[in-house]
Amino acid sequence: MERGTFLYEIWVARWSILEGLGVTLSSSAMTILIGSILGFALGLILTFGILPLRWIARLYVDVMRGIPVLVLILFTYYGLAILKIPVKPFWAGVIALSLFCTAHMAETVRGAVQSLPAGQTEAGKAIGLRFWQRVRFVILPQAVRRMLPPWVNTALEIVKGTTLLSIIGVVELLLAHQQAIARNYMVIQFYLSATAIYLVLNFAIAQAAALLERRYAYLRY
């Protein structure tokens, strides 16, 4: 490879880019996992919880959905520092993105559950199922299929949202490319490289979710 070409420069920067990709993948995976679990629980509270818990959950969801992700990341990072809580930038970013993801997943779960016809619940009552049995065996199996498309959208937004972690010094995929640009000034080439990698990541998530949705559709009856 000739010195000064794009192939040469990206080879020189390969390890930093791979490390940035690893940070993007790990932060995205942890955020999606944490946000999905907490969001699922919060969505059930929004739907079936007692009134005070529903108020608290609704307040949390509305506040978190109303705050820009960048502001949430900065507030979490500097807020924890002010409170003398030692948290590395990576974990501050994961916490902030998880708070954001939880709120969106909670609303996804609530919407999916409440979109089911009331007759499904009545049918569960008619065959003698208790409340949580109706939720487990009647409501959730049908609601999960409706959750998948908006869940995928949220997951894709989280992957793209990891680019904002660079503002607090986390060297993720985009910042790794920007650091390479600062050395060689190949702006277009390296930004196209970053774009291609993000497209591949998001396409893989979308295809995996589509496969899961098709398999679940075959099993729903």
Side-chain angles (χ1 to χ4, degrees), residues 1-2 5-18 180 183-184 190:
M1 290 179 289
E2 184 180 351
T5 63
F6 171 66
L7 289 177
Y8 174 83
E9 294 297 338
I10 200 168
W11 177 257
V12 171
R14 66 190 184 282
W15 294 120
S16 61
I17 290 176
L18 287 175
R183 293 192 299 269
N184 54 54
F190 274 88

Side-chain angles (χ1 to χ4, degrees), residues 10 20 34 41 79 83 110 118 126 140 144 150 158 190 200 214:
I10 200 168
I34 295 171
L83 295 175
R110 181 203 61 79
L140 289 184
V144 165
I158 291 301
F190 274 88
V200 169
R214 287 194 298 269

Side-chain angles (χ1 to χ4, degrees), residues 42 45-46 50-64:
L42 200 62
I45 292 174
L46 282 172
I50 60 176
L51 192 58
L53 288 180
R54 290 207 306 270
W55 284 346
I56 295 172
R58 172 51 56 192
L59 177 63
Y60 172 85
V61 169
D62 289 345
V63 168
M64 288 300 158

Side-chain angles (χ1 to χ4, degrees), residues 3-89:
R3 182 182 295 271
T5 63
F6 171 66
L7 289 177
Y8 174 83
E9 294 297 338
I10 200 168
W11 177 257
V12 171
R14 66 190 184 282
W15 294 120
S16 61
I17 290 176
L18 287 175
E19 288 178 5
L21 176 60
V23 170
T24 293
L25 291 174
S26 59
S27 59
S28 298
M30 284 187 285
T31 296
I32 293 169
L33 178 61
I34 295 171
S36 297
I37 294 173
L38 296 181
F40 188 83
L42 200 62
L44 293 181
I45 292 174
L46 282 172
T47 309
F48 303 115
I50 60 176
L51 192 58
L53 288 180
R54 290 207 306 270
W55 284 346
I56 295 172
R58 172 51 56 192
L59 177 63
Y60 172 85
V61 169
D62 289 345
V63 168
M64 288 300 158
R65 293 178 71 199
I67 299 176
V69 183
L70 179 58
V71 174
L72 187 58
I73 291 172
L74 291 172
F75 182 81
T76 302
Y77 179 62
Y78 291 108
L80 291 175
I82 291 174
L83 295 175
K84 307 299 182 182
I85 301 176
V87 178
K88 294 182 179 179

